[in-house]
């Protein structure tokens, strides 16, 4: 199955100021996330930012909003982002998922996305948890739930489809 960009939307789940420092290898993770979100912007794939209990966990870093091109986010108190994001997902087939924590909000969102009939695509190098074991469990469970498992570079090139375009040149600059 090829993932087509005109049928795709992305969810950036709970990259929040009080949670990020607790995530294992968070600095490297956030660099990959920024590249991924910049690539989606180049490809005109819409991205929805969610925040878990903003009052307690704080805002997403400003660079996330800047890269996505909005200051809007969906606040939630449920672990799954699907409830607040589903109206924006309608009309799409594929839901790219990145975020934290992988074994909690990311996984529950993925399960709900699949249950609603969409194809969840887990961007494994753009998810994080405090513990490696929880991260690995989330990836395993995502596969069991029928998610497409990928990396940010692989999915950007799949959405791109062809070389030699201005978009391809921009994507190449990002991933090098």
């Amino acid at each position: 199955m090829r993932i087509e960009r005109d049928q795709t939307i992305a969810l950036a789940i709970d990259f929040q100021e009080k949670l990020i420092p607790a995530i294992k290898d968070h600095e490297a993770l956030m660099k990959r996330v920024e590249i991924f979100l910049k690539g989606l912007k180049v490809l005109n794939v819409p991205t929805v930012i969610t925040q878990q209990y903003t009052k307690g966990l704080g805002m997403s870093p400003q660079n996330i909003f800047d890269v996505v091109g909005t200051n809007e986010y969906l606040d939630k108190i449920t672990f799954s982002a699907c409830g607040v994001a589903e109206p924006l997902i309608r009309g799409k087939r594929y839901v790219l998922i990145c975020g934290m924590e992988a074994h909690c909000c990311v996984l529950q969102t993925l399960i709900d996305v699949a249950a609603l009939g969409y194809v969840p695509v887990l961007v494994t190098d753009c998810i994080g948890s405090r513990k490696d074991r929880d991260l690995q469990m989330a990836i395993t469970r995502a596969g069991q739930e029928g998610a497409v498992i990928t990396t940010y570079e692989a999915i950007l090139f799949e959405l791109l489809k062809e070389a030699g375009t201005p978009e391809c040149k921009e994507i190449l600059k990002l991933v090098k």
Side-chain angles (χ1 to χ4, degrees):
M1 152 183 45
R2 178 179 289 280
I3 298 164
E4 301 288 343
R5 80 168 104 160
D6 64 335
Q7 289 297 309
T8 301
I9 190 166
L11 296 178
I13 300 171
D14 306 348
F15 291 110
Q16 290 170 260
E17 59 191 15
K18 291 184 182 173
L19 183 56
I20 291 169
I23 301 301
K24 186 163 175 58
D25 300 323
H26 66 275
E27 290 176 359
L29 169 65
M30 295 310 294
K31 286 179 185 174
R32 292 189 301 269
V33 168
E34 188 169 339
I35 293 168
F36 175 56
L37 295 177
K38 284 179 179 178
L40 293 177
K41 185 78 170 167
V42 168
L43 298 171
N44 294 313
V45 173
T47 299
V48 176
I49 298 169
T50 70
Q51 294 182 174
Q52 175 73 20
Y53 183 60
T54 303
K55 182 179 175 184
L57 293 176
M59 293 294 293
S60 299
Q62 188 58 47
N63 68 315
I64 297 291
F65 290 113
D66 293 344
V67 168
V68 173
T70 184
N71 282 320
E72 296 181 18
Y73 64 92
L74 301 176
D75 201 17
K76 63 187 184 67
I77 57 170
T78 58
F79 295 118
S80 173
C82 201
V84 296
E86 202 273 332
L88 301 172
I89 295 170
R90 286 187 200 134
K92 301 294 184 182
R93 181 169 181 209
Y94 307 100
V95 181
L96 307 180
I97 299 173
C98 64
M100 52 184 59
E101 282 195 69
H103 63 288
C104 187
C105 296
V106 169
L107 182 61
Q108 289 185 40
T109 300
L110 185 144
I111 291 167
D112 289 349
V113 163
L116 288 171
Y118 304 103
V119 178
V121 180
L122 184 64
V123 186
T124 59
D125 52 357
C126 291
I127 60 172
S129 288
R130 288 168 287 142
K131 300 175 202 152
D132 279 332
R133 181 72 185 128
D134 287 329
L135 178 65
Q136 293 309 314
M137 182 284 304
I139 295 169
T140 299
R141 176 80 186 274
Q144 293 168 347
E145 295 293 335
V148 174
I149 307 296
T150 192
T151 63
Y152 79 85
E153 190 169 328
I155 194 63
L156 289 176
F157 282 110
E158 183 172 346
L159 294 168
L160 185 59
K161 271 192 178 175
E162 63 182 285
T165 66
E167 290 171 327
C168 183
K169 290 176 184 173
E170 287 186 60
I171 297 296
L172 286 171
K173 283 185 214 173
L174 289 172
V175 301
K176 288 188 177 190

